[in-house]
Amino acid sequence: MNPVGFPLLTAVTFFPLAGAVMLLFLPRAKEESLKRAALVISLVEFVISLPLFIWFDEGAAGMQFAERVPWISEWGVSYSIGIDGISLLLVLLTTFLTVLCILSSWRAVERMVKEYLIAFLILETGMIGVLVSLDLILFYVFWEVTLIPMYLIIGVWGGPRRIYAAIKFFLYTMAGSVLMLVAILALYFLNGKATGEYTFDLLKLYQAGLPATTQYLMFAAFALAFAIKVPMFPFHTWLPDAHVEAPTAGSVILAGILLKLGTYGFIRFAIPLFPVAAFKAIPIISVLALIGIIYGALVSMMQEDLKKLVAFSSVSHLGFVMLGMFAFNVQGVQGSIYQMLNHGVSTGALFLIVGMVYERRHTRLIADFGGLARVMPVFATFFMIVALSSIALPGTNGFVGEFLILLGAFKANPVYGILGATGVILAAAYMLWMFQRVMFGAITHEENRALKDLNLREIVTLIPIIVLIIWMGVFPKFFFKKMDLSVQNFLYDVKARYESATAPSGAGQGASPATEEVPGSKVDSTIGVKE
Amino acid sequence: MIDLVWLIPLFPAVGFLFNGLIGKWLDLDKRVVGSVACTALGLSFLFSILIFFSLLKLPPEARAAVPDKVLFDWIVSGDFKTVIGYKVDPLSIVMALVVSGVSFFIHVYSVGYMHDDPGFTRYFAYLNLFVFMMLTLVLANNFLLMFVGWEGVGLCSYLLIGFWFERDAPANAGKKAFVVNRVGDFGFLLGIFLIFAHLGTVGFNEVFAKAPSLDTATVTLITLMLFVGAAGKSAQIPLYVWLPDAMEGPTPVSSLIHAATMVTSGVYMIARCHLLYSMAPISMAVVAIVGAATALYAASMGLLQFDIKRVLAYSTISQLGYMFLAVGVGAFSAGIFHLMTHAFFKGLLFLGAGSVMHAMSGELDMRKMGGIWKRVPITFLTFLVATLAIAGIPGFSGFFSKDEILWQAFSSNHGHLYLWVVGAVAAGMTAFYMFRLLFVTFLGPCRASEEVKKHIHESPPIMTIPLMVLALLSVIGGYVGIPHILGGRNFFHEFLAPVLGGAPQGTEHAAFSLVRPVFASGGAAVGEGVNMELLLMGVSVAVAIIGICIAFYLYIWKTEVPKRLGERFKTIYTIVFNKYYVDEIYEVCFVNSTKKLGTFLWRRFDDGVVDRSVNLVAELMAWLGSVLRRIQTGYVQSYALGIILGAVIIIIFLIR
């Protein structure tokens, strides 16, 4: 399955770490060179991740670029990695956003630049590791690896309440993951006892076929860990604190990638490992997602701090992601994955934008702004496009994701679709109101009169995002064709195992796979792509 | 030729990109920016005309069956598939002609009107973007692409209402328009979901081909949801509140977006979906009743306003009500006919109002005008033509279209006597408030300040020529649809018939047959029916003339009477003058309560409950730690005490 004959995926995963090691040997006084080196490393990383996209065979199901080496063979632990259409796009989003993060840190980070950059590069390896791991222990190691650099980024380079926020972030996430570790071990032993093969291999554990009650417990443990990470209502309160205190690039990567690890965890681990429990959890997850959508939007509307506003809007947007995923149909799941990317791009951009005004004014309170569109017209244009993407205007990326999610949710349960769609109205309200208070009106604070418009570096940071916003909105097929087969496969597999598990008891017919999900449609999509 | 339909929206898109990127970046000269924007529209208009004539060459039945021009796949996910594709048929080409034509003239006018505005380039970039979105809306071959245009025009409306964003009122109005429209779009979106869930497609051709398989309940739900969208975009009760505020935008924008084109999208959408609506009598009734109610209600609010543009805004809402009345009684082509004539005369009225503002140093309050007709003769004459047209005076375009609507409201299968009565009363009000506006603004003594008086001048030719063109259209635009009864052949209907079917002829209506005369079908009305149609026509003209006479009496002849009447009926006057306080009610019910809920959820619930409990867990741990820590005091005595106590407990335990 590896078309390159070269461990490309390993290279993509560990190149940032190697880069971090290289940075160790550079003198700490030369901050400018350190930044340049980190930028080059992240750019090279982005470039070497592109072949993954180009060489990814959209006509093949299953994992690609797979590598597998025994690691601790007596315990069945292996270094097993690979990507499918779902993780592929998230890996690219990671390498893409990291470049922008390093660019955006140019002026914002003033002390301990070296450590900061090293933390960032280690974080990148951790995040990619989570996305490519196909072994539960390997996954867990990477999962925890992401925590530490992020903890440091918030705790060292953060705002005034950084210690509180960092500890809250760390402990909250840790508490969730511990339960998941217990569940991973239980899964290992139960599967070993049943099949005689003790392994942490994810793809093999998919077939474990645990009894329903065991699945419920284990799903709960996994789901809690991921739900905290997403974060789903009511586990979201670490997020506003973390965002408010984190430096700009920390917020970008937190919103852009780290939260996606939670949603990705559902789709890669919690759901396919425990399909019976996952199907039973549809009402719970969907209702929590809907609460998240509406609640996040309502609370976001009243925020006085820009970063908090964006943080709560994230709660709302990730509610959409979860809603679509648990619709368990092609539109819902594809929309959900697309929305993960959209949220990474748009909310990442929103945090960059907030960071840009913060660097100028050292405040994030909405009341301290007003009338900026007059003094910063270029900034206003970028901000407007990003805000519109965030409220899912057709023609931008956000629309494609939210539309498919709501369509999928509506198909699964019209009530979910209708309630979810109200989030679209609220999003317009909170985003445009904020935009108006910051950008429009007369200038009420004299300090704002002398604000400088964006400089070249900032424009260069934002242009790729704007291009992506439009591109993903107008030509979504470019991305969809890569994930199409993986999603169909995921749904087919999960539903088949759910049904085979529930069929003997005669229960659970409610969610039988619709005809569209059978692999027959694979043929069409494959042909359609090759044309 | 027809295959080149995609060029029609492409030109303004290119104009937008050119002006928005290069124009702003290089700070190009206004002449360049204006020429690019107008040329883009001119080309769009030209291609619309060319395609119109290509279509005309085809035999009538083939005109509705031209294959869609599909550019590329857009969203493809599982069994869901949409394309970027355009549809050419008589309906869409009529819309494209109206949109590109009226837009072209308003663009030209804008070059003069916006000449001294520092945001000139931005203005034309937005205006081009708007036309691109509007043409996408009318030419789309599927619901989702139509929705792109639908929200796209909403965005441009937002940007252009809030064009002068440094003042609060335009910024607020823009936001209000966007959010209220989103409420409507929510309905539209649910309509699309329902269509897809039941038919598995969102392409117009496929949906309408499969529509007969839907049951009545489903199709009623679908059409009602789509109507929510239409009511938002086209400012019908209860979602009309954004349109009067939208007058904060530059006047040519009010003319183009908030009178001639965007606000009529809802009517177009229903006409496009006429097959669905025809299957859902309840939805038809709802559309007709809401339309009629809006026509009357908005007209009543227009009676007392003093702001020229506000009067015109309420008038627009009212006229849109007529169009919905038309499509609601199944007279789809009559609705589109009125949409077209309205685009001419209402576009003209707004441009005329802009010309008056231009002359009066930006004044909008008609109480500070008067007697200026000699100083602005072209503006006055063209305004008069448009006023006569909207009042429904025979010979002007509005007469033909409005009268057809009223007749259909009475005679169609879905019609009702009351619908006609409401429509006729609203027609009288329309004639009244329009002539009131005309009289107070242009005639009588001049009430402007001396400073303003000195500067009153006619607008430059770049503004008056579009006025004259639209005035010409406001007269002759109606002659494409002369009814059979007046000896015409109603070319407009004939042209639209392949898409919309023949207009519903006055066949016998089950429920309301008592006043209904009998007609022969096929348009050859005979006997009693002829008399009835002529009679109603006569009544509506009479009502209009009465309205004009009252306006003449109150505002030319006995100018002191209105004041007396206002004092006499103070309560009613105040309520109507304050637009029935609907804005205030909405503010309390929706805006404030949402904000309060948001604040409550944030302060009380999120901070007070959710986050508090997280921190409580942490505090509990800390407390447990501090309790356990106390055991480790470091004093040997207390450890010894512990040992002894422990030993005693063990001994007691052992000897028992």
Side-chain angles (χ1 to χ4, degrees), chain A residues 164 168 172 233-238 240-241 294-295 298-299 301-304 308 312 330-332 334-335 371-374 377 381 384 388 391-395 399-400 402-404 406-407 410-411 414 417-429 432-433 435-436 439-442 472-477 480 484 488 516, chain B residues 24 72-82 84 118-119 122 126 133 144 147-152 154-155 158-159 162 165-176 178-180 182-186 189-190 192-198 202 591 594-603 605-607 610-612 614-615 618:
Chain A
Y164 168 76
K168 192 170 182 180
Y172 212 148
F233 176 89
F235 307 111
H236 63 272
T237 54
W238 63 269
D241 288 325
I294 295 167
Y295 178 90
L298 283 171
V299 176
M301 197 180 305
M302 302 316 296
Q303 294 306 310
E304 290 148 5
K308 262 193 152 172
F312 276 106
V330 178
Q331 288 87 26
Q334 290 198 332
L372 295 197
R374 168 60 51 204
T381 310
M384 175 58 90
L388 293 173
I391 62 177
L393 193 86
F399 176 70
V400 180
E402 281 189 19
F403 174 78
L404 285 177
L406 292 172
L407 183 72
F410 190 87
K411 266 173 75 180
I418 293 167
L419 289 174
T422 59
V424 175
I425 303 175
L426 293 171
L432 293 183
W433 192 33
F435 193 84
Q436 181 188 349
M439 304 306 292
F440 293 161
M472 291 175 73
V474 180
F475 305 106
K477 208 180 159 189
F480 271 74
D484 203 38
Q488 306 231 12
E516 42 145 326
Chain B
K24 285 216 65 156
F72 56 88
D73 284 352
W74 182 31
I75 303 179
V76 180
S77 172
D79 56 348
F80 180 84
K81 184 180 170 191
T82 41
I84 304 288
R122 184 166 55 98
Y126 289 168
M133 290 297 183
L144 207 62
F147 189 71
V148 173
W150 192 267
E151 286 237 310
L155 164 71
Y158 164 77
L159 293 170
F165 57 80
E166 281 161 80
R167 289 189 289 120
D168 282 335
N172 280 327
K175 184 188 61 197
K176 182 172 176 183
F178 198 94
V179 174
V180 174
R182 270 258 159 145
V183 176
D185 295 351
F186 166 77
L189 207 54
L190 293 184
I192 295 177
F193 291 162
L194 277 167
I195 288 171
F196 179 71
H198 289 276
V202 292
V591 181
T594 309
K595 285 183 183 174
K596 270 190 191 143
L597 180 64
T599 309
F600 169 82
L601 286 177
W602 173 33
R603 298 284 188 198
F605 189 72
D606 207 65
D607 280 355
V610 185
D611 199 37
R612 188 85 201 95
V614 173
N615 286 338

Side-chain angles (χ1 to χ4, degrees), chain B residues 434-641:
Chain B
M434 282 313 302
F435 273 88
R436 168 180 178 264
L437 174 62
L438 185 82
F439 293 153
V440 178
T441 305
F442 291 98
L443 306 178
C446 185
R447 296 170 297 275
S449 67
E450 288 306 314
E451 187 58 32
V452 173
K453 259 186 197 167
K454 258 188 259 166
H455 291 107
I456 299 178
H457 58 283
E458 183 58 286
S459 301
I462 198 161
M463 289 165 70
T464 49
I465 290 170
L467 291 179
M468 291 187 274
V469 173
L470 285 174
L472 182 68
L473 289 171
S474 299
V475 180
I476 64 168
Y479 289 89
V480 297
I482 305 173
H484 299 281
I485 190 145
L486 295 182
R489 69 175 252 241
N490 210 339
F491 168 78
F492 195 77
H493 278 205
E494 257 177 43
F495 182 64
L496 288 178
V499 186
L500 298 177
Q505 296 299 329
T507 45
E508 194 66 22
H509 190 284
F512 312 108
S513 53
L514 43 148
V515 289
R516 183 90 61 236
V518 184
F519 301 99
S521 56
V526 286
E528 214 183 339
V530 175
N531 297 338
M532 196 66 184
E533 187 170 354
L534 283 176
L535 178 70
L536 291 185
M537 198 179 272
V539 171
S540 69
V541 171
V543 168
I545 289 172
I546 292 170
I548 297 171
C549 290
I550 298 174
F552 182 79
Y553 175 77
L554 291 178
Y555 294 99
I556 296 284
W557 195 7
K558 301 265 183 193
T559 44
E560 75 286 353
V561 179
K563 208 169 175 197
R564 271 213 326 268
L565 283 174
E567 278 157 15
R568 182 94 171 273
F569 302 100
K570 199 164 176 63
T571 323
I572 301 176
Y573 180 86
T574 317
I575 292 175
V576 177
F577 185 73
N578 287 299
K579 300 153 291 188
Y580 304 97
Y581 296 99
V582 171
D583 275 320
E584 288 76 9
I585 295 168
Y586 279 20
E587 184 78 18
V588 172
C589 290
F590 301 113
V591 181
N592 289 352
S593 57
T594 309
K595 285 183 183 174
K596 270 190 191 143
L597 180 64
T599 309
F600 169 82
L601 286 177
W602 173 33
R603 298 284 188 198
R604 305 268 163 201
F605 189 72
D606 207 65
D607 280 355
V609 178
V610 185
D611 199 37
R612 188 85 201 95
S613 40
V614 173
N615 286 338
L616 268 181
V617 172
E619 280 161 29
L620 186 72
M621 291 301 159
W623 177 80
L624 267 177
S626 69
V627 169
L628 292 175
R629 189 184 62 188
R630 242 170 254 166
I631 297 169
Q632 296 202 353
T633 52
Y635 292 111
V636 181
Q637 301 95 308
S638 45
Y639 291 154
L641 184 68

Side-chain angles (χ1 to χ4, degrees), chain B residues 223-246:
Chain B
T223 45
L224 284 178
M225 283 298 136
L226 293 178
F227 179 58
V228 172
K233 191 67 62 202
S234 297
Q236 297 295 291
I237 293 173
L239 297 177
Y240 68 90
V241 286
W242 63 272
L243 187 57
D245 291 19

